[in-house]
Amino acid sequence: MKPLAILGSTGSVGENVLRVVRLHPERFSVKALAVHKNIEKLYEQAVEFRPQGVCIYDPPKAKEAAPRFKRIGIRVVTGDEGLQEVATLSGVREVICAMVGAAGLKPIFAAIHAKKTVAIANKEPLVMAGKLLLAAAAKAGVRVLPIDSEHSALWQCLEKQDPAFIKKLIITSSGGPFRARKGSLAKITPAQALNHPKWKMGPKITIDSATMMNKGLEVIEAANLFHVPAEKIDVLIHPEAIVHALVEFVDGSHFAHLGVTDMRLPIQYALSYPERLEDALPRLDLTRLQALHFEKPDRRRFPCLDLGYAASKIGGTMPTVLNAANEIAVAAFLAGRAGFLGIPKIIEKTMSAHRLVRQPSLADIFAADAWARETAEGLL
Ligand code: MG
């Protein structure tokens, strides 16, 4: 039995983590849950999974909800301290981080220092502080496991392979809702951008898919996770979303990871690793696939992709700045305060105004994050 702490349990990844736990009650137990402020859903989860404690990050909400959780014997903690507490709880073997935003960074470091295996679903930690995080994990002797489907795929293709023989990492993209759309993207509305053809996800990442910033962030994530420079990472459009990533080796061999388009697959592997669990998830039927298509992305139409490459190559605090400016720009787009094409413009301007810190500490990263948010807001 592997006891888990799930940070961000009411988001789309968090709910999928719990669906996987539900499929394998003999393998996994839930020791702690953390959410931002969705008390109703958290309460339902707490009644079903009976964790020892929960963190409600928002202090007023935590205070309001504490008596109700107390009645079912569950302790409520709050804020950064509370997050840290659930991430380091004794008995927890793996911490799954699925929190949106930069708030997830500190508890991940805390979990690593407490020698927990860490599975990371959201992109911010690996984009903002991937190098620091992996260095801390190596020092503590713990593993950092990716849940992002492409990175889970790369990880599986790369296992037991000598990194010296990697020629290229290739991550795929379904292309988002505007791949085949003709004409200008200037008048795209939030409703159109939120309508993703393949993956059902939260609003922020769905907009990132529409702008292709999702792949820009994933290039940075892959570069940090696998110690491969961005120049050696390719993005291919693959509308069927069956091949999640490939590794090309120096001799011309390609290893590919194929699977159904279901987040539970990479989640389950991050929970069961190094084992594989049988039969619970839908299976891929190759005979029902008509064809698999691959094409190059249109980098002029989706400039966010190149911004991701640029930030990865520049390194230091630049990926943090890109990520923060993107969050502000996406929120502004969803609120009707910026156009679809304003998103890359705001990010680019914020990046060019940034004074880079080449070897950032965690404090430098948080400072760059705050600076970029303010600067991007100012640009709106
Ligand atoms: Mg992904």
Side-chain angles (χ1 to χ4, degrees), residues 64-267:
E64 178 196 323
R68 198 170 155 205
F69 282 86
K70 199 179 168 193
R71 279 196 289 279
I72 56 170
I74 293 170
R75 207 163 78 86
V76 175
V77 292
T78 188
D80 284 322
E81 247 171 61
L83 270 183
Q84 186 142 334
E85 194 179 326
V86 299
T88 56
L89 210 60
S90 81
V92 167
R93 279 194 32 218
E94 184 163 330
V95 176
I96 295 99
C97 191
M99 293 173 55
V100 179
L105 253 179
K106 281 183 186 161
I108 293 178
F109 277 98
I112 288 173
H113 294 315
K115 303 214 182 290
K116 317 282 187 200
T117 302
V118 170
I120 300 184
N122 56 322
K123 298 187 162 61
E124 293 89 345
L126 289 168
V127 167
M128 294 171 68
K131 290 199 171 109
L132 285 179
L133 232 150
L134 287 168
K139 206 172 153 202
V142 300
R143 281 185 168 273
V144 173
L145 310 177
I147 287 182
D148 204 350
S149 58
E150 298 77 3
H151 303 78
S152 173
L154 286 173
W155 166 41
Q156 295 179 55
C157 290
L158 285 168
E159 257 204 309
K160 303 209 170 80
Q161 297 293 331
D162 186 336
F165 301 129
I166 299 172
K167 175 91 171 165
K168 233 172 213 174
L169 305 183
I170 303 164
I171 56 178
T172 63
S173 160
S174 67
F178 308 132
R179 181 182 63 90
R181 192 187 171 96
K182 301 270 183 287
S184 165
L185 299 174
K187 295 247 154 62
I188 292 298
T189 64
Q192 288 170 313
L194 284 171
N195 191 13
H196 195 278
K198 280 285 171 191
W199 295 97
K200 197 180 165 329
M201 307 171 289
K204 157 72 170 50
I205 186 173
T206 306
I207 301 302
D208 285 345
S209 298
T211 62
M212 287 201 72
M213 181 53 95
N214 192 41
K215 291 303 135 178
L217 293 168
E218 287 180 358
V219 167
I220 301 170
E221 213 183 336
N224 286 342
L225 257 174
F226 304 111
H227 312 286
V228 168
E231 300 84 64
K232 289 170 85 170
I233 303 171
D234 270 2
V235 172
L236 283 181
I237 303 293
H238 168 48
E240 292 85 6
I242 294 295
V243 178
H244 302 301
L246 305 95
V247 176
E248 180 185 348
F249 292 97
V250 289
D251 62 356
S253 289
H254 285 66
F255 282 20
H257 176 278
L258 286 75
V260 289
T261 314
D262 188 324
M263 271 312 292
R264 289 176 299 171
L265 196 56
I267 288 170

